């Protein structure tokens, strides 16, 4: 196995809090192990455009607590083509990169997998996305921060809901997975939680709201995952208003505040651990895998598997949600 | 002047952070001056429904740091009729109230003014609304907290805007007044701020965005007051996308998170001061006024004037906004 | 196995954010399963003083987001005596309690274990303490919140440390365990972390600070666990000042802010899960155990074991700490 | 009056949140008015060491929301000597500076005043300090943020105080002025507030605590300004313990967390306004003054006066404090 001399790092796809902590960890792990770290700007686009920068330990000072990614992220249609990837590889080769760490979600991992398969550049994936929908890790970087952001926002809305006896429908992120909605919903004391994995007929929601009303609850919070199939939070609002003309229904779409903010302690530690693990994997001659954390231990999952499989919602948690909103 | 024995307090209209601190201050000021404090639930509706409660110092313990209003607020169509107000007055009289403190906005003050004019119950207004659009006070209770909430939200959106070179249009509260948009916009470093008081032609926005782009800014935040007449943030988004097809435009409506949350230090102190001032005014035989703060001193403004006049945006601040976004 | 009819719940020992969420979950789980929930005020003291209160679902509304414990906690010397426990048991029996859920740390679990052994009252422990030093669970309720509180505080201190080229020694909680110091230290980007489990000679700290200085770092954060044996943060400060007369050294003891605050999403969900698990264990005829979470699954550990064993610091995390502060 | 071509800006003395926003505003105001902005690192030390840097609009991007000062601040004994100031002036002259904006407190303003008197370099002071103890402005940059930081910290301590029926003595910053203690104390619902401007005999504190106890309050928060003359918070603690052996007394010194953190909306807007005002003053040929805000309007105060006079505590606020803690 050839000695590792130069490793690139990039962030790709939707940004997530903790990506900077992950970049910092990759850079410093490289330095710790005598490898030269190279930052690639704007994801795969920067590889194609040859927008690279040699890093040192000071390059990543004071970023561990910053949201977003200072390397930036960008969509890159060109990289989805074999020609784009070939161009990217040429630049990587010219720069002397003998390994690449890709921080992002499954779209980003698909790119890494193809780059390695087609051109032999050893790639490691690091799961960075607020959605927590990546197989091969219990938690993705950014997810814990997003949960806290959502819960803080719903706490605020609860203040006004309670003051006015209102029903709030709150849409949170999670196109394919209800992790954010389910956990933040439990934590915020939501009366109902609608997620893609557990489609309830709308009648059930109406029954539940009616029961709430009878039990003396005068305000309600319903958390809706954007991936829920009931037709979107605005359509849901119309349905509730038709069924309960007396209710004052309000809709809030939390939107992009969920992506930003200072990363939580958990996300910073997770990012630090996975950054180290990604460089150590490359040093061990391992590639084509994503590093993740399972049962608090570092594990590696082939990129192919990380992309194709999905974490299931914990069904016990669905039950907990039912019980605590009694 | 008859001695003051029993004073009622209610919150009305949209809730605002710091209302609880104001209720607490009214209650404790009463006790301090040997007056019996009576809480009225759900605003004027509670007065009509005779939903009153005698308070003591402990009744308002541990609420100074809570958002919303624990007395709740409600719209009350009935109180807008002379019959409704007569019913409310009968209950106030039966309960022995010889004064009433109304915490709310101008709609609430109109009710107080009519109640006093028609039935002679001495009323004092305390300005509680996040919009800061009430004449007779430099700051309304809740405004400072809302500003911080908005700025924190935009800081989060800035993280993701910067990571992706995106343009964000962010709608903030302020139907008739751009105070929130202007101040939060400056504080969040927004590239453009659109407010009702300073309607700019859409061309000017486009020019500014074009200049920004030429100056090397790759992401932009535009803060839009909900009262801005450019047709709403979604229409604006379409206009920008037509003019700048290359731009990726995102819209966020901050919504009701702006109403809730723990009140800021400033709002808690302001609420404490105005609560004391409202009871002291009643003791001095003064009524039909709103207590406010001007140049850091307590002032009184006739309710009529507080309702009919409006604070103007500080034009110097518009200039500051232009300069710091150079 | 006799049917469960009435279950008591109390919080004991040092308070931790999320205890209210745990109480809420125990109360609502009881109601869900047709059991009458009984709250006991001020821990074991309330059991001896017969300070009990029947709960319903509304009794625990709007507390999930509150720090501290609304049932209060108290030290109780009397309960440490067989006579005290006998008195407590008499009250429990008179009230018809056929189970007791104790939320607290290992001191509280010792009491529960003795109460069950001596009098046969089925007891379940729920781990609530910020220190995370309880065997039988990966995380204790309150720990995640405390970590975020510590990291936010150090982020603030970093601002001023960087502005002034200063060295800060920051003492965090953790008398016997360095979990808070190690995780918060990594997350806050501390240059050095001193914990009881990994005693470094003071020379090593001095060497490290000297290296930092040579590497161009002009400010430093050293996080010290209160249980660290180097003699306390003030003594350490004197030692550093003697060795580096040029350094301006500042000491901050974070203190009790670490115990309070709104619980994080994670702590609220964990508390909700463990509350449900505690009642379900009693229903299953299980007692004398603590419910915890291991590898994301609910597990039960005999109270005796939970008290006598201790979680070890993850040695990989120590290595991560070394690498990312390169 | 000669045209203004080049203006320097520095931060000096203790750092305060919002200093970065002020630097940004000075830099962008210069650019807006066609002046070249020059940043000076580490306060007056940087002027003596000739550590200057030409700025452009992008140099100050993304700093408005950062605590501390990216230009850094340092004590500089040398600048306190005529020789030091002469050396500083030579560098300023060589760099072509025809104006200097000094962001800091009264020590910093003394330096500016002497530099202008001795060498004729036009200087403007901008009040940046968390203590709010500078004459000529209602608010200093950083004060509002520090208030919110203190109130959030006390809110957290309140959680644990209430859970355990404890008395907490909390020391906050303010060596010569009780602004932070008084305002944060009111906002946090402190039972007692001890400030330098209103020395109470210790007996009065004891009486008040005794009354609190009798009124059924089982926990108490006492906020103590570091400048209070009762001998420091630890001595006070001993005195309370002697008088109330039953009380469990805890001490927390908030320390340097009060200096850091993201600036509040108010501080960012204030800093933006004062930055603009400082450059506009120089353009108007005015110097030797501090720009401040009085009754929401920009005012100028001779540096000499800003240094020698002091803002008094609002005595009405002392009364409000007494009333709301009834």
């Amino acid at each position: 196995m050839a000695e590792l001399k130069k490793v690139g790092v990039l962030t790709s796809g939707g940004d997530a809090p903790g990506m900077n902590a992950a970049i910092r960890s990759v850079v410093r792990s490289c330095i710790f192990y005598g490898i030269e770290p190279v930052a690639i700007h704007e994801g795969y686009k920067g590889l194609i455009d040859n927008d690279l920068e040699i890093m040192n330990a000071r390059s990543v000072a004071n970023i561990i607590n910053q949201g977003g990614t200072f390397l930036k992220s960008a969509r890159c249609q060109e990289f989805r083509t074999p020609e784009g990837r070939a161009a990217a590889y040429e630049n990587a080769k010219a720069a002397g990169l003998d390994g690449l760490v890709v921080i992002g979600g499954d779209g980003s991992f698909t790119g890494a997998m193809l780059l390695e398969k087609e051109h032999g550049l050893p790639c490691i994936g690091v799961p960075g996305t607020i959605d927590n929908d990546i197989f091969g890790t219990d938690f993705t970087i950014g997810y814990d921060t997003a949960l806290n952001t959502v819960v803080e926002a719903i706490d605020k809305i609860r203040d006004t809901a309670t003051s006015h006896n209102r029903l709030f429908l709150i849409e949170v992120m999670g196109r394919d997975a209800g992790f954010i909605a389910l956990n933040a919903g439990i934590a915020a004391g939501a009366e109902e939680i609608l997620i893609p994995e557990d489609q309830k007929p709308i009648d059930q929601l109406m029954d539940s709201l009616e029961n709430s009303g009878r039990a003396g609850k005068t305000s309600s919070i319903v958390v809706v995952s954007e991936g829920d199939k009931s037709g979107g939070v605005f359509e849901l609002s119309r349905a509730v208003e038709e069924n309960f003309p007396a209710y004052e229904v309000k809709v809030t779409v939390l939107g992009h505040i969920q992506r930003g903010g200072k990363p939580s302690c958990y996300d910073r530690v997770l990012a630090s651990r996975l950054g180290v693990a990604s460089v150590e994997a490359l040093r061990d001659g391992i590639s084509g895998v994503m590093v993740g954390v399972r049962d608090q231990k570092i594990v590696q999952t082939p990129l192919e598997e990380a992309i194709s499989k999905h974490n299931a919602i914990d069904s016990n948690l669905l039950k907990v949600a039912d019980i605590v909103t009694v």
Side-chain angles (χ1 to χ4, degrees), chain A:
Chain A
M1 169 180 109
E3 200 200 345
L4 206 62
K5 287 185 187 150
K6 222 167 179 175
V7 165
V9 58
L10 61 81
T11 50
S12 166
D15 63 307
M19 280 187 162
N20 281 326
I23 299 165
R24 171 182 181 268
S25 176
V26 170
V27 166
R28 294 198 169 169
S29 298
C30 284
I31 292 167
F32 183 87
Y33 286 118
I35 301 162
E36 192 169 42
V38 179
I40 298 154
H41 294 271
E42 298 197 49
Y44 293 119
K45 183 172 175 296
L47 209 49
I48 293 176
D49 297 350
N50 210 9
D51 189 0
L52 314 184
E53 186 186 356
I54 307 279
M55 297 269 112
N56 60 48
R58 295 298 87 217
S59 316
V60 290
N62 297 322
I63 65 164
I64 194 171
N65 62 347
Q66 305 287 325
T69 158
F70 85 103
L71 293 184
K72 298 193 176 182
S73 187
R75 289 189 195 165
C76 183
Q77 279 307 120
E78 208 181 338
F79 193 77
R80 299 190 179 193
T81 66
E83 296 74 25
R85 290 189 294 272
Y89 176 69
E90 287 311 313
N91 286 327
K93 197 174 137 193
L97 300 188
D98 36 28
L100 178 66
V101 177
V102 172
I103 305 163
D106 47 17
S108 315
F109 295 164
T110 304
M113 191 180 65
L114 293 173
L115 187 64
E116 175 155 7
K117 281 198 179 157
E118 293 168 1
H119 303 283
L121 182 66
C123 288
I124 300 283
V126 172
T129 160
I130 62 167
D131 289 343
N132 206 39
D133 58 351
I134 295 186
F135 184 81
T137 192
D138 289 339
F139 300 105
T140 55
I141 297 166
Y143 169 60
D144 184 63
T145 305
L147 285 180
N148 282 316
T149 300
V150 170
V151 168
E152 281 166 27
I154 304 182
D155 281 353
K156 290 194 171 110
I157 293 171
R158 171 78 69 189
D159 286 340
T160 190
T162 309
S163 299
H164 285 281
N165 298 340
R166 278 174 179 158
L167 170 66
F168 272 88
L169 304 178
I170 302 173
E171 187 189 284
V172 302
M173 285 188 169
R175 211 171 296 274
D176 305 307
F179 292 101
I180 292 179
L182 180 55
N183 282 275
I186 290 175
E191 277 72 21
E192 280 294 328
I193 301 167
L194 305 182
I195 58 174
E197 292 91 340
D198 178 46
Q199 283 306 130
K200 298 174 186 172
I202 191 129
D203 291 2
Q204 195 175 324
L205 173 64
M206 299 304 159
D207 286 355
S208 154
L209 292 175
E210 215 177 313
N211 288 337
S212 271
R214 270 201 296 269
K217 279 198 188 185
T218 54
S219 64
S220 288
I221 301 282
V222 178
V223 174
V224 186
S225 189
E226 62 178 339
D228 182 73
K229 281 120 199 163
S230 51
V233 76
F234 291 101
E235 185 146 328
L236 201 62
S237 166
R238 277 186 292 273
V240 175
E241 279 177 328
E242 264 169 41
N243 280 271
F244 300 95
Y247 256 112
E248 193 181 358
V249 185
K250 297 274 174 185
V251 167
T252 294
V253 177
L254 287 186
H256 280 79
I257 59 165
Q258 296 168 82
R259 290 212 171 279
K262 293 195 162 204
S264 70
C265 181
Y266 187 86
D267 275 332
R268 299 187 198 182
V269 173
L270 177 64
S272 299
R273 291 179 71 189
L274 296 182
V276 170
S278 67
V279 174
E280 291 186 338
L282 285 172
R283 287 187 80 230
D284 291 344
I286 294 166
S287 68
V289 302
M290 181 191 82
V291 291
V293 66
R294 278 258 185 241
D295 303 346
Q296 305 210 65
K297 279 172 218 72
I298 297 292
V299 293
Q300 297 165 345
T301 305
L303 286 173
E304 210 147 5
E305 209 177 331
I307 296 160
S308 58
K309 296 188 182 172
H310 290 285
N311 290 328
I313 283 278
D314 179 356
S315 62
N316 290 315
L317 212 47
L318 289 171
K319 197 180 166 198
V320 167
D322 280 347
I323 292 177
V324 293
T325 53
V326 136

